[in-house]
Amino acid sequence: MRGTPEATRSRGRPIWVLALDCMIILVSAEALYYTYKINTDTTLQWGVALIVLCVATYILIRRARKLQGGTKKKLKSVSKLVLLDEDGESVKEWFIQGETSLLIGKSSSREEVDIDLSDTEYASLISLQHAVLNYSEGSWYLEDLDSRNGIGIRSSNQSAAVRLDPDATHRVEIGDLIYLANTRIIAK
């Protein structure tokens, strides 16, 4: 509630929003009363009925979507990877939004990789083709390519890293820390 006194809020909404809602309800009730009790024009009555039906349908659909959104947390997709140094400071960034597959490793004269770690402190521990990141159905998935020293990943909600099986894929979410040997990359 960000320092707002309890008296000025109701169910997380400001009082002025509630007052505006009440005004809209009162004006709508008065318009309906006029249309159906005082007025005798049937065209106006049908027009108002159609408008009320449309507004009610819109409100019900919005509520249903809001309730659905409350139970299902929408995941944001990772848009960049950041190489970290020993102190956790950013050294290098790769913007990956719009890509579908990224090869991680060390570039050589024979083959280039998308995320080149050949100039990192622990480059000798990283395989030429260490891992691959694939984008599918709105998420990134990390896979070990039978690297010598493997891959670990620490999810943003866990305190310890887990070593990935070479035959398995792991979904990468924002805040996850990827360990390629002793090299650390954070997903943002």
Side-chain angles (χ1 to χ4, degrees), residues 163-175:
R163 187 175 176 95
L164 294 185
D165 291 329
D167 300 330
T169 59
H170 188 278
R171 184 169 65 200
V172 178
E173 297 177 7
I174 293 175

Side-chain angles (χ1 to χ4, degrees), residues 17-82:
V17 172
L18 294 173
L20 186 61
D21 287 347
C22 289
M23 292 291 290
I24 290 171
I25 290 169
L26 287 173
V27 168
S28 299
E30 191 172 325
L32 288 172
Y33 178 78
Y34 170 78
T35 303
Y36 291 102
K37 292 293 182 183
I38 298 172
N39 184 32
T40 58
D41 184 8
T42 56
T43 307
L44 179 64
Q45 291 174 346
W46 279 103
V48 168
L50 184 61
I51 290 170
V52 168
L53 182 64
C54 290
V55 169
T57 303
Y58 172 76
I59 290 170
L60 290 174
I61 290 171
R62 261 189 88 181
R63 276 211 176 173
R65 286 184 183 162
K66 189 174 182 179
L67 289 174
Q68 237 179 2
T71 57
K72 233 194 265 183
K73 184 180 175 186
K74 185 175 179 182
L75 297 175
K76 288 185 178 180
S77 181
V78 174
S79 61
K80 73 177 175 176
L81 299 175
V82 179

Side-chain angles (χ1 to χ4, degrees), residues 95-108:
F95 291 90
I96 62 174
Q97 200 164 6
E99 300 292 334
T100 55
S101 184
L102 298 164
L103 183 60
I104 303 171
K106 297 187 295 188
S107 289
S108 66

Side-chain angles (χ1 to χ4, degrees), residues 174-188:
I174 293 175
D176 289 355
L177 195 57
I178 302 167
Y179 294 89
L180 297 123
N182 288 344
T183 303
R184 297 180 305 156
I185 298 175
I186 191 165
K188 291 192 173 189

Side-chain angles (χ1 to χ4, degrees), residues 138-158:
S139 295
W140 284 98
Y141 294 89
L142 182 65
E143 184 178 345
D144 189 346
L145 296 176
D146 291 325
S147 61
R148 286 188 318 260
N149 294 304
I151 299 174
I153 191 159
R154 189 185 83 203
S155 296
S156 59
N157 60 355
Q158 295 180 343

